[in-house]
Amino acid sequence: MPTAYPLPTNVSPATVANTASLLRIVAFGLISAAAIASRLFAVINFESIIHEFDPWFNYRATRVLAAKGFYEFWNWFDPTAWYPLGRVVGGTIYPGLMATSGVIYNFLHYFNLPVDIRNICVLLAPGFSALTAWATYMFTAELKDPSAGLLAAAFIGIVPGYISRSVAGSYDNEAIAIFLLMFTFYCWIKALKLGSAFFGTLAAVFYFYMVAAWGGYAFITNMIPVHALVLLLMGRFSGRLYVAYSSWFRFVGFQPVRTSEHMGALGVFGLLQIVAFASLVRSHVSSKQFQNLLAISVVTMGVLGAGAFVVMTYKGWIAPWTGRFYSLWDTGYAKKYIPIIASVSEHQPTAWPSFFMDLQMLIFLFPAGVVMCFRDLRDEHVFVIIYAVVASYFAGVMVRLMLTLTPVVCVSAAVAFSTLLDTYIDPTEPEATTTEAPTAAPTTTTTTATATPDSKKIKKAVAAAQAGNSASSIASSTFNDIVSATTRKGKSSKSKGIWGADARLAVLLNAIGMLAFFVFHCTWVTSNAYSSPSVVLASTNSDGSQHIIDDYREAYYWLRQNTPQDAVVMSWWDYGYQIAGMADRPTLVDNNTWNNTHIATVGKAMSSPEEIAYPILRKHDVDYVLIIFGGLLGYSGDDINKFLWMVRIAQGVWPDEIQEPNYFTPTGEYRVDDRASDAMKNSLMYKMSYYRFAELYGNQNAVDRVRNQAIPKVGPTLDYLDEAFTSENWIVRIYQVRKEDPLGRDLKSANAFEQGKKKKRSKPVSKRRVIVN
Amino acid sequence: MGTRYRSILANSWSLLTFLLVVFITFTSATSSKSASSTGDSVVVILDPAKKADYSIFLEELQAKGYTVTIRAPKDEKPLLIEDGVPNFSHVVFLASETKSFSKDINPQTLVELLSSGTNLVLTLGLKQNLLTSLAPEFSLLLPPPTTPLVSFFPERPEPPSVIPISVDTTSTPNDSFSVLSSDVGGSIWFSGTAFALSSNPLLFPILHAPAESFVGDLSDASGLVSDALADAAEKGGEGLWAGSSLAVVAGFQTLVGGGTGHGTDAGSGLEQQARVAWVGGASLFSDEFAKKQIVEKVHQERGMKVVGNASGNKQAALDITGWAFQERGVLRIDDVSHHKLNESGAVEMYTTNDEIVYTVHISSYNPSTRKWEPSSGLKDLQVDFTMLDPYVRTALLPVRGKPGAYSTTFRAPDQHGVFKFVINYKRKGFTHLHHTMTVPVVPPRHDGYPRFLSAAWPYYAGAISTSIGFLLFCTLYLAGEAKEEKKTKKE
């Protein structure tokens, strides 16, 4: 047997297996360590702090859970959110994340480890990323072999697309959801493979956990039925599919009958029952005509069911599709009809560069991996293919769904990459028939070394051998013809292969180089782009040292220290969770955007002139108004840049009072300088943003550094609000709402009186003379 | 070391004295010597030369327990507001004819005094001064300067600008407070200007001008036979200040505590509520008018008889200042409580559809005993249960056997949210009662919903039948297995 390089011969298979297993464990330990470590940039660069917006709510909820217990949490009504409507928290959130942290917290405290709940929350995401790596390993190992699994685990561990949602401090549902997603999928294909009710039930249990943890569970709800349906259509119905699907299928509350998103699962379940019955009948009656009749009846029933479904949707018996769902199909939909959804940057379509930023070389390997799946079209490969197609589409539509694409990219890239490595590490020279060869990364399946036609990197590589036909262990069907076709093709090109060690070395070095670059890229992206808590900003001084801009916390702590406990703070909804979490004050609206009208009310107050806004503020008992202003520092994520969304959302509710075009100049520009429109200049938001801004520059040459526009020398005046606080870099400005005038005047004239201007007589009076006697 | 200790000692000494001073001022403020519910110190802005003209009024004030300070309009001291804190509880402005004042007496200061709870009695003169520019802020419309109120009726020896005004204390509407008490008697003398009241709800007339009076300039009318009145009548009365809709004395209550009951608006704001009495002429308070008799012709069987009565000016001056100094018509909310029906003890939050009992205790100030007494006399007190809009608005009725307590029971709406109990009692002449209290109304707890609904029987049936079916299936499956094996063996 000619080999490209000498192999040790005196090693027993047991030793090989043990060593391989040890190596796997060590490799896996290192992967976990890398996955956790790379997520700690945020803690090292800044501090152990909760990031961004939503995590602040999760953190606050977790504290309630840890302090009061699960039942109180379940019944938690938060009177400080959405003042005065309040928010029924317990019943309206995904408690999976908080419950997980609560369990960990109680577990550690049971063993007298007094770990702060904040640190648990901060470090939960990195911890779960290690588990995700493990789940991905198991999943990929099912798909190909453990070595591909290890690669996939390594990829998912450090790929920026996943890190972006799971750095330390990013305490969000996605932190645990991706692990649950991968593990549910693993259980599903395992159940499908073995026909195991146990794994099916396990999949159901983890699916349930997922339902409790993330709104994206609908992805699983639809992925698995679609997979089952495709298998059915491919004629791959089997007892295993029936068992796996039936044991997985669980109702999620009463939703399956009510919302369209769950209909698919129910429909496929019904279909499976019918098909199972049909195949039972077919096994007893083998009449061709009967089969045809059966097929027709199945189709008829399907059409009837679909028709009924459409009718029910139109009649409104079943819930209409949600707005987010529509925006998945028509990217312009949200912008037209639901400005709130469109105003979230996460819901924007993905830009091309972000694919490369988040996935780097994996995006090239991804199609190759999917093609590899076609070569070896077992049920689980079909699953990966469907997953890849669906997730690619969704990732293109919405930025945040990049997250669901990332695991499948890692898996298929790992399959492609490990195939490449298998092919080139395999020492077998072409003439020989393939035998089981111990390799550095041992293989478990008998199928070895199918080569990848990765046209960009490798010149020409062909499949070496196809000995065992484990693929055909699936019940044979017409669709397996494809598989056998590829097998035959592989057999015909049997004599082709790789000769010598140098060719192997060239490709392998290239591959290792790619891996190394991938690692560098991931580290760079993670440390630079995804580790900012966004609560604390960092800038670089002229000498290169880091300068921390801590305006948010400065302002929130000001609120906490200087205002009454029950003072209501109005701000745009982005900052609602942070105010509740850090300042501990009631807010009008927050990031849980459940009430459009309430948000529109805030939008209207912000975009109206003072005298119109004031009654709104008083009606909602607002004590303070908080805005974000980046004009001094050049911080572009400020409220003036979000202002048009406020206008749009308000316009959606009050089209007669707020009109978006009024906020543009006649030439259609969005300006804040002299040429700004009157509606813009009189709006509360503009006034609050630029109040006394020109004074800072000595009333000359005041420039807004975000918009790069000169601010008028005479700044806006405020009659109904008092400036209460402005943070160091002017990022956060807080205004106090004035009380009604004690004399019952409107505050504008009261202010004018205060400044000594004489009030005009309301009636001109003519002097009269009278007659005396 | 020694010096350090000494300085600490000195510091603590100064702290102690400071506390003592604070304590003394505090006690003196609370244990009132005067009839007022808000304080004893009165500053009268008056030219010392004219002090003798008002001696009766000033003596009466002192007799009621007030410490009266006279300050000349041009004096620099004592300041009305020192370090942001008002120096006096009440200010009487009698320098109506003075044109220039020292720096700290200006419209802005007077308004600032009001917002910090100082009561004012302001008398207008015929000439323009700072009050002329202040009056529009209170929605008072003043006639042009140097035009007094004149009336030719009833026929009398006095000049037309000195008018007897009969005081009708009976025709006060039910829901407002009668400032002039029945002790005033028949009529009072008045000389000065009148003013019109615009629609500000905080402003109300205390004394109207007589129906036949009007505002006009008498200064050079001797030679002119102009018929301005006739002209005005032809124009339908346009431009003529006349008739009983003009007021010569008006009251104004400042608006405070109109807040949200939480946050920066917490507290009832009662302590900052101030009153202002606007009087058309300072002479109403003068000794001259107090002593001057009202001469009336009384119809008798045998022709007319001229009767001289003492004028009501002395009493009217006391009534007006008494009201303005918050002696009378002063209410306060002592206590507000709410709880679930058939339960006692306050709750943090209510569940939707709970029966809520809301009780409020109200006291009024009795100037004669100088004590707060429970008051059950309010007829039209209401409470709102509000979240953005009132969901419940119901009358608060006096509780029998509990003086001062008003209570009602109502069902919380079937809507969760942060609700407010709002009492908003604003009646003319009475202290405004405004009280807000927030309470969350939450949906039922997870175990608070009714169990075993009849409408849910399909679900129960489904669950039970599935369980039974599963058990049956298991038994049949386990029992039937052996037979199948036999069959296969046979085959």
Side-chain angles (χ1 to χ4, degrees):
Chain A
M1 188 176 78
T3 54
Y5 49 90
L7 291 169
T9 47
N10 54 348
V11 194
S12 74
T15 317
V16 171
N18 287 341
T19 316
S21 149
L22 178 70
L23 278 176
R24 271 204 297 274
I25 290 168
V26 169
F28 193 77
L30 289 173
I31 287 168
S32 301
I36 292 172
S38 69
R39 281 164 173 80
L40 296 182
F41 275 117
V43 173
I44 294 162
N45 286 352
F46 296 95
E47 58 188 285
S48 174
I49 183 186
I50 303 291
H51 289 192
E52 299 208 318
F53 306 107
D54 286 17
W56 273 102
F57 170 75
N58 298 331
Y59 171 51
R60 187 161 153 257
T62 310
R63 271 195 316 201
V64 170
L65 178 67
K68 293 186 177 170
F70 189 77
Y71 278 107
E72 284 308 310
F73 178 68
W74 189 5
N75 290 309
W76 185 26
F77 176 85
D78 186 1
T80 64
W82 292 87
Y83 184 90
L85 307 174
R87 180 182 172 194
V88 185
V89 181
T92 58
I93 55 161
Y94 298 106
L97 182 73
M98 298 95 190
T100 309
S101 320
V103 166
I104 294 173
Y105 177 77
N106 288 327
F107 177 79
L108 291 176
H109 279 245
Y110 181 76
F111 288 104
N112 294 321
L113 292 167
V115 181
D116 187 14
I117 187 79
R118 176 172 57 92
N119 287 324
I120 292 174
C121 294
V122 167
L123 297 176
L124 190 77
F128 265 85
S129 73
L131 288 175
T132 310
W134 174 70
T136 313
Y137 164 76
M138 301 291 275
F139 183 86
T140 320
E142 285 302 317
L143 211 63
K144 190 169 176 289
D145 52 30
S147 55
L150 279 179
L151 261 180
F155 286 159
I156 194 97
I158 57 169
V159 70
Y162 176 41
I163 284 187
S164 66
R165 295 313 186 110
S166 63
V167 291
S170 178
Y171 180 58
D172 212 344
N173 295 332
E174 287 94 336
I176 63 170
I178 293 303
F179 161 66
L180 297 174
L181 183 86
M182 285 318 284
F183 200 75
T184 312
F185 285 162
Y186 163 70
C187 291
W188 162 246
I189 62 167
K190 191 83 182 167
L192 193 61
K193 232 178 174 176
L194 302 176
S196 154
F198 170 72
F199 274 103
T201 314
L202 207 60
V205 168
F206 274 87
Y207 168 69
F208 185 72
Y209 191 0
M210 175 84 172
V211 170
W214 194 38
Y217 72 88
F219 187 64
I220 303 185
T221 319
N222 289 303
M223 264 307 293
I224 291 179
V226 165
H227 183 212
L229 186 68
V230 168
L231 289 180
L232 267 184
L233 293 176
M234 287 169 76
R236 289 196 180 182
F237 175 76
S238 65
R240 288 177 288 106
L241 176 63
Y242 182 73
V243 169
Y245 192 82
S246 300
S247 52
W248 167 76
F249 183 71
R250 291 285 188 280
F251 277 31
V252 186
F254 293 116
Q255 278 189 326
V257 247
R258 298 283 302 172
T259 63
S260 314
E261 281 161 12
H262 299 256
M263 275 293 170
L266 185 67
V268 170
F269 182 68
L271 198 64
L272 262 180
Q273 305 302 327
I274 295 166
V275 172
F277 177 71
S279 62
L280 187 76
V281 171
R282 188 168 56 182
S283 65
H284 290 279
V285 187
S286 55
S287 153
K288 189 87 179 172
Q289 276 185 329
F290 184 74
Q291 273 186 36
N292 283 344
L293 205 69
L294 212 61
I296 287 165
S297 65
V298 165
V299 167
T300 325
M301 279 166 94
V303 168
L304 276 178
F309 170 70
V310 169
V311 167
M312 280 164 83
T313 310
Y314 269 104
K315 289 268 182 185
W317 292 332
I318 46 180
W321 312 86
T322 57
R324 270 180 205 165
F325 183 82
Y326 278 123
S327 60
L328 278 183
W329 304 111
D330 176 7
T331 46
Y333 177 86
K335 202 169 182 180
K336 268 180 273 172
Y337 301 106
I338 325 164
I340 285 190
I341 289 181
S343 72
V344 182
S345 60
E346 285 181 341
H347 294 163
Q348 305 294 339
T350 318
W352 277 111
S354 70
F355 278 103
F356 297 99
M357 169 131 161
D358 282 357
L359 303 168
Q360 215 238 0
M361 71 157 189
L362 301 184
I363 201 71
F364 302 116
L365 292 171
F366 171 50
V370 174
V371 170
M372 302 303 305
C373 289
F374 271 107
R375 296 189 145 263
D376 193 9
L377 203 61
R378 275 175 285 148
D379 290 349
E380 56 266 33
H381 294 110
V382 174
F383 182 79
V384 170
I385 291 161
I386 298 167
Y387 185 1
V389 170
V390 172
S392 307
Y393 174 75
F394 286 154
V397 172
M398 242 188 224
V399 173
R400 72 188 299 190
L401 292 181
M402 179 69 95
L403 192 65
T404 51
L405 175 69
T406 306
V408 73
V409 167
C410 290
V411 168
S412 44
V415 167
F417 211 88
S418 107
T419 312
L420 174 75
L421 289 182
D422 282 352
T423 313
Y424 283 89
I425 290 176
D426 180 20
T428 321
E429 292 284 337
E431 312 90 353
T433 50
T434 314
T435 51
E436 260 186 275
T439 57
T443 57
T444 48
T445 55
T446 45
T447 316
T448 53
T450 46
T452 163
D454 196 346
S455 56
K456 290 194 178 177
K457 303 284 170 191
I458 310 148
K459 288 174 264 172
K460 192 99 181 179
V462 193
Q466 183 76 30
N469 58 342
S470 65
S472 54
S473 65
I474 310 154
S476 62
S477 69
T478 49
F479 282 87
N480 268 7
D481 290 351
I482 302 168
V483 181
S484 45
T486 51
T487 317
R488 255 179 264 127
K489 206 174 162 188
K491 275 173 186 164
S492 66
S493 59
K494 202 176 178 181
S495 60
K496 290 181 185 170
I498 308 136
W499 301 82
D502 47 352
R504 288 184 162 82
L505 214 57
V507 173
L508 286 178
L509 280 177
N510 205 339
I512 289 164
M514 273 167 71
L515 286 178
F517 273 118
F518 178 66
V519 170
F520 279 120
H521 173 81
C522 290
T523 315
W524 180 81
V525 169
T526 305
S527 67
N528 284 301
Y530 291 137
S531 291
S532 164
S534 88
V535 176
V536 184
L537 309 168
S539 72
T540 317
N541 288 334
S542 51
D543 61 349
S545 61
Q546 197 182 40
H547 177 65
I548 297 288
I549 296 164
D550 210 355
D551 280 37
Y552 282 99
R553 288 197 294 177
E554 184 192 348
Y556 294 143
Y557 274 86
W558 182 87
L559 274 177
R560 203 187 180 100
Q561 304 286 337
N562 295 287
T563 64
Q565 177 90 40
D566 50 1
V568 176
V569 181
M570 182 179 96
S571 70
W572 190 232
W573 61 262
D574 295 21
Y575 315 106
Y577 279 163
Q578 290 185 349
I579 293 170
M582 284 189 257
D584 192 23
R585 292 291 173 270
T587 53
L588 246 59
V589 291
D590 62 32
N591 310 47
N592 170 28
T593 52
W594 65 274
N595 188 325
N596 187 32
T597 315
H598 217 53
I599 292 181
T601 307
V602 174
K604 186 186 173 189
M606 293 288 196
S607 45
S608 300
E610 271 186 283
E611 55 271 21
I612 295 174
Y614 185 68
I616 301 175
L617 300 181
R618 291 303 288 176
K619 188 179 180 187
H620 290 81
D621 301 341
V622 175
D623 294 303
Y624 292 93
V625 184
L626 180 146
I627 59 155
I628 305 297
F629 173 65
L632 181 67
L633 208 65
Y635 172 62
S636 63
D638 68 350
D639 277 347
I640 288 284
N641 275 2
K642 292 174 184 170
F643 186 46
L644 282 179
W645 288 113
M646 304 181 201
V647 173
R648 274 173 211 152
I649 291 167
Q651 186 182 4
V653 179
W654 290 280
D656 298 337
E657 295 173 59
I658 308 282
Q659 277 112 22
E660 192 186 340
N662 296 346
Y663 294 84
F664 290 99
T665 59
T667 50
E669 288 169 284
Y670 183 62
R671 299 198 76 92
V672 294
D673 56 5
D674 289 329
R675 290 192 283 151
S677 68
D678 282 343
M680 182 76 190
K681 277 186 173 170
N682 289 325
S683 68
L684 198 63
M685 175 55 75
Y686 180 89
K687 284 188 163 190
M688 287 192 293
S689 290
Y690 296 106
Y691 183 63
R692 297 183 62 204
F693 183 65
E695 282 176 37
L696 196 66
Y697 291 82
N699 282 332
Q700 47 192 346
N701 302 327
V703 175
D704 182 318
R705 291 205 199 156
V706 176
R707 267 76 44 182
N708 280 324
Q709 291 171 19
I711 301 306
K713 281 177 191 170
V714 182
T717 55
L718 283 169
D719 287 317
Y720 293 82
L721 300 170
D722 287 323
E723 184 181 4
F725 177 81
T726 296
S727 64
E728 188 189 350
N729 299 298
W730 286 50
I731 288 183
V732 186
R733 308 195 72 184
I734 301 172
Y735 290 86
Q736 184 170 16
V737 180
R738 295 179 65 168
K739 288 193 235 177
E740 275 90 0
D741 179 60
L743 304 187
R745 303 165 291 182
D746 64 305
L747 287 171
K748 193 167 186 167
S749 47
N751 245 15
F753 169 74
E754 198 94 333
Q755 286 152 16
K757 289 172 198 160
K758 274 191 183 171
K759 188 178 182 175
K760 279 187 181 170
R761 282 174 175 274
S762 37
K763 273 183 203 166
V765 185
S766 61
K767 199 175 174 181
R768 285 274 163 194
R769 290 161 187 235
V770 281
I771 332 141
V772 185
N773 293 11
Chain B
M1 283 297 270
T3 47
R4 201 177 143 202
Y5 274 118
R6 222 171 292 150
S7 71
I8 288 171
L9 206 68
N11 275 340
S12 50
W13 256 118
S14 56
L15 191 73
L16 213 68
T17 27
F18 173 74
L19 284 177
L20 204 68
V21 167
V22 167
F23 180 73
I24 287 165
T25 25
F26 183 73
T27 44
S28 66
T30 47
S31 65
S32 176
K33 288 181 290 165
S34 72
S36 164
S37 64
T38 57
D40 304 330
S41 51
V42 181
V43 65
V44 180
I45 299 172
L46 176 65
D47 199 343
K50 288 189 175 173
K51 193 184 162 188
D53 294 352
Y54 300 96
S55 60
I56 295 179
F57 171 63
L58 298 176
E59 275 162 24
E60 285 291 335
L61 278 186
Q62 274 160 338
K64 275 165 114 182
Y66 292 101
T67 46
V68 179
T69 315
I70 309 279
R71 179 179 168 188
K74 294 223 171 159
D75 280 359
E76 292 295 327
K77 293 261 162 132
L79 287 171
L80 295 180
I81 298 178
E82 207 163 345
D83 303 329
V85 180
N87 268 334
F88 301 95
S89 308
H90 319 282
V91 176
V92 180
F93 189 95
L94 288 178
S96 54
E97 302 301 322
T98 316
K99 283 218 81 166
S100 56
F101 295 87
S102 77
K103 202 167 68 226
D104 78 308
I105 304 176
N106 59 42
Q108 280 75 15
T109 324
L110 292 178
V111 171
E112 201 185 330
L113 278 174
L114 279 180
S115 19
S116 50
T118 305
N119 304 306
L120 306 180
V121 174
L122 304 173
T123 57
L124 290 160
L126 292 179
K127 294 172 194 160
Q128 258 184 322
N129 64 7
L130 64 93
L131 295 187
T132 323
S133 59
L134 182 64
E137 303 298 324
F138 291 82
S139 312
L140 287 178
L141 304 176
L142 298 189
T146 67
T147 53
L149 185 74
V150 293
S151 175
F152 298 104
F153 301 93
E155 198 183 352
R156 60 188 184 277
E158 287 84 11
S161 62
V162 177
I163 310 163
I165 302 175
S166 73
V167 179
D168 184 9
T169 51
T170 53
S171 68
T172 333
N174 254 345
D175 61 345
S176 75
F177 180 79
S178 161
V179 173
L180 296 176
S181 64
S182 54
D183 296 344
V184 174
S187 298
I188 60 167
W189 286 108
F190 177 80
S191 170
T193 188
F195 36 78
L197 312 175
S198 62
S199 60
N200 192 329
L202 304 171
L203 186 69
F204 67 100
I206 290 175
L207 187 62
H208 286 288
E212 57 274 9
S213 67
F214 58 98
V215 170
D217 188 359
L218 293 166
S219 54
D220 60 341
S222 51
L224 292 169
V225 191
S226 152
D227 44 4
L229 270 179
D231 277 356
E234 273 169 25
K235 286 183 193 168
E238 193 194 322
L240 184 70
W241 297 71
S244 60
S245 60
L246 292 179
V248 294
V249 183
F252 189 98
Q253 296 220 53
T254 59
L255 185 76
V256 276
T260 55
H262 76 276
T264 50
D265 272 356
S268 63
L270 198 68
E271 60 284 348
Q272 281 151 26
Q273 207 166 106
R275 290 174 174 179
V276 190
W278 283 90
V279 183
S283 55
L284 196 148
F285 299 95
S286 66
D287 293 359
E288 187 199 343
F289 281 3
K291 289 175 188 158
K292 191 179 173 77
Q293 282 207 326
I294 301 265
V295 179
E296 277 178 303
K297 284 175 183 167
V298 183
H299 289 275
Q300 278 190 334
E301 285 171 23
R302 284 175 237 155
M304 310 285 261
K305 190 188 175 190
V306 179
V307 183
N309 287 332
S311 76
N313 279 46
K314 186 176 134 190
Q315 186 60 38
L318 288 180
D319 281 350
I320 291 167
T321 48
W323 175 82
F325 293 177
Q326 305 202 27
E327 293 172 15
R328 300 181 302 128
V330 183
L331 301 171
R332 81 174 179 202
I333 293 176
D334 288 328
D335 181 37
V336 170
S337 62
H338 54 88
H339 58 86
K340 278 187 204 166
L341 189 66
N342 302 327
E343 282 178 34
S344 58
V347 284
E348 264 178 42
M349 47 180 65
Y350 290 100
T351 310
T352 49
N353 297 322
D354 272 356
E355 293 285 334
I356 301 176
V357 180
Y358 179 84
T359 312
V360 59
H361 290 266
I362 291 174
S363 293
S364 65
Y365 184 73
N366 186 339
S368 47
T369 59
R370 292 163 195 193
K371 274 182 186 141
W372 290 92
E373 292 166 356
S375 160
S376 291
L378 305 185
K379 298 274 187 296
D380 48 358
L381 197 63
Q382 288 183 331
V383 63
D384 290 358
F385 199 52
T386 303
M387 184 184 72
L388 296 181
D389 300 307
Y391 279 68
V392 175
R393 173 172 289 166
T394 181
L396 277 170
L397 299 173
V399 182
R400 272 190 197 173
K402 284 186 188 169
Y406 299 78
S407 182
T408 190
T409 305
F410 61 90
R411 202 178 69 166
D414 191 10
Q415 162 75 45
H416 59 76
V418 180
F419 280 81
K420 291 191 289 188
F421 293 105
V422 180
I423 286 185
N424 189 357
Y425 184 81
K426 293 194 172 85
R427 298 293 179 271
K428 283 171 179 168
F430 285 107
T431 321
H432 296 163
L433 295 179
H434 195 130
H435 187 272
T436 349
M437 193 180 219
T438 55
V439 66
V441 173
V442 305
R445 290 174 66 87
H446 67 280
D447 52 359
Y449 291 96
R451 293 277 167 96
F452 300 111
L453 305 165
S454 56
W457 266 108
Y459 292 98
Y460 302 146
I464 293 166
S465 65
T466 311
S467 314
I468 293 172
F470 181 70
L471 280 175
L472 272 176
F473 173 77
C474 288
T475 28
L476 287 177
Y477 187 78
L478 292 172
E481 204 174 8
K483 280 182 192 172
E484 265 180 33
E485 266 177 38
K486 277 179 191 171
K487 273 185 187 172
T488 44
K489 273 179 188 173
K490 275 180 189 174
E491 282 169 15

